[in-house]
Amino acid sequence: MYNIYSNSYKPNQDNYIRRAKRKRGMSFLTYFIIGIFVVIFFIIFINKALFFQIQSIEVTTNKLSEVQHLIIRGTNSNSEIYNSVAEKYTNILFSSSKEIKNHLQANFLEISNITVNRNLFKRKIYIFYSTREPKYIWCNSNIEGTTPDSEKCFLVDKSGILFKDNDQNENFMSIKNEYYQDLKLKNAIPSNVLYIVNNFSSILEQRSIDLKEIIIKNNSLIVFVLDILDAENNLKNTIDVRFSLEKDLGEQLEKSSSLINYLSNIDLEKIKYIDLRVKEKIYYR
């Protein structure tokens, strides 16, 4: 009698097994490729679908001269902030607030603080930013043969950041660099220079003395050029006040404050320069 439970070898058994494995392998690869195409198609659909496109961008700034405005996509705008966002970001789902914020901070150095929010249902982006206020102008003049017309100058904010080219020749206090390696946008002026400039400027403001310019000659000599005016604002004298960046800046500032407050207007009209680098010395004309 034939045993139906026999484990005897069948000649074509190996071929059946190989074909079954090959079929299962091909099925998995086929489904995997199809799945990839489905995901790609879904992403493209989401990205291009009209109901996921950004509908409007609202830009608000701390400048009193600029009003809050709502701009519908497709309209022209004089706002560089708006145009930059509208050109780069179109889909509300794929445009994160953090990414937009980083993009604007990298491309608009005049922005000091910025907040970006999204409203997914309204497909709307809200941008609020404050701008850096220029306080000084930094001019690189340490290259031999540099003329006033060829100087590269930048606007500097109160924290010492160079944030914009001075293309429009705006009238702020000039710091002429004849010593340090040329600074560029995004750089900060040396902290000791910023410290002495901010503090001595405040001392002069209290006495209503005009500061014409600041010149960094080297690490042991920074010169403040003062214009001494009379009651009718006529120029009566020009004084150089000399500091050293290598010495104790606090001590030099204390000396300068005492001298500036002690000297009378008549004295100021006769002085040639004041040297505070070692001991306070006054040189008259």
Side-chain angles (χ1 to χ4, degrees):
M1 180 179 294
Y2 179 73
N3 184 2
I4 60 173
Y5 299 104
S6 174
N7 292 326
S8 60
Y9 173 79
K10 297 180 180 179
N12 58 351
Q13 183 174 347
D14 290 342
N15 293 333
Y16 287 140
I17 295 174
R18 282 196 293 268
R19 281 198 298 268
K21 289 183 178 179
R22 190 182 303 116
K23 186 176 181 180
R24 286 196 300 269
M26 291 178 61
S27 298
F28 174 79
L29 181 61
T30 302
Y31 288 131
F32 179 74
I33 294 174
I34 293 174
I36 290 176
F37 277 107
V38 169
V39 171
I40 293 174
F41 175 79
F42 180 75
I43 292 174
I44 294 175
F45 172 76
I46 293 295
N47 189 44
K48 298 297 183 181
L50 182 62
F51 45 82
F52 290 122
Q53 300 300 297
I54 296 173
Q55 181 65 26
S56 59
I57 302 171
E58 184 174 317
V59 182
T60 312
T61 178
N62 64 330
K63 288 184 177 180
L64 298 179
S65 59
E66 294 186 17
V67 297
Q68 179 173 322
H69 56 280
L70 178 65
I71 306 173
I72 304 301
R73 175 170 296 283
T75 60
N76 294 325
S77 170
N78 293 326
S79 170
E80 293 183 359
I81 299 291
Y82 165 81
N83 292 331
S84 178
V85 174
E87 291 173 4
K88 185 175 178 63
Y89 302 97
T90 58
N91 189 287
I92 192 68
L93 295 180
F94 297 150
S95 304
S96 71
S97 299
K98 183 178 180 181
E99 184 181 355
I100 295 173
K101 178 180 178 180
N102 292 339
H103 166 73
L104 292 176
Q105 287 181 322
N107 289 277
F108 297 91
L109 297 179
E110 62 268 29
I111 293 177
S112 58
N113 294 295
I114 184 169
T115 302
V116 180
N117 293 307
R118 297 182 305 164
N119 187 313
L120 296 178
F121 295 102
K122 294 182 178 181
R123 292 175 289 158
K124 186 174 180 179
I125 293 177
Y126 300 89
I127 300 172
F128 174 81
Y129 69 95
S130 57
T131 56
R132 301 180 189 273
E133 295 297 331
K135 188 171 183 179
Y136 306 111
I137 296 175
W138 177 275
C139 293
N140 292 315
S141 307
N142 62 347
I143 301 177
E144 186 175 354
T146 300
T147 63
D149 293 334
S150 63
E151 290 178 343
K152 185 63 175 177
C153 298
F154 306 93
L155 296 179
V156 182
D157 70 353
K158 62 181 180 181
S159 62
I161 302 297
L162 282 65
F163 68 91
K164 188 178 181 181
D165 292 334
N166 188 34
D167 296 331
Q168 299 179 358
N169 297 318
E170 299 189 52
N171 188 24
F172 295 97
M173 178 53 53
S174 172
I175 304 175
K176 187 176 293 186
N177 169 38
E178 297 181 357
Y179 172 67
Y180 293 102
Q181 183 178 0
D182 286 355
L183 300 184
K184 301 177 182 179
L185 286 174
K186 298 184 181 181
N187 292 156
I189 67 177
S191 59
N192 55 350
V193 172
L194 184 63
Y195 175 80
I196 194 77
V197 168
N198 282 340
N199 285 277
F200 189 58
S201 298
S202 298
I203 293 172
L204 297 176
E205 286 177 5
Q206 294 172 6
R207 183 69 191 273
S208 299
I209 297 176
D210 287 346
L211 178 56
K212 180 180 179 181
E213 66 176 347
I214 304 162
I215 306 171
I216 305 173
K217 294 290 187 180
N218 51 56
N219 205 35
S220 61
L221 179 59
I222 177 172
V223 179
F224 291 77
V225 182
L226 315 184
D227 279 344
I228 307 302
L229 309 177
D230 61 16
E232 287 74 33
N233 286 330
N234 297 316
L235 181 64
K236 303 297 291 184
N237 190 19
T238 299
I239 301 175
D240 288 354
V241 181
R242 303 175 181 181
F243 291 84
S244 172
L245 297 173
E246 296 177 328
K247 304 293 183 179
D248 188 319
L249 298 181
E251 182 179 345
Q252 294 176 82
L253 285 168
E254 186 176 350
K255 294 176 183 177
S256 69
S257 179
S258 299
L259 281 176
I260 292 298
N261 292 319
Y262 170 78
L263 294 170
S264 67
N265 290 337
I266 296 177
D267 290 331
L268 292 174
E269 292 178 6
K270 298 177 181 179
I271 293 174
K272 183 176 182 180
Y273 67 90
I274 300 174
D275 197 334
L276 300 164
R277 291 176 292 177
V278 181
K279 290 185 178 180
E280 58 272 32
K281 297 179 181 178
I282 301 176
Y283 296 82
Y284 289 86
R285 295 187 182 277

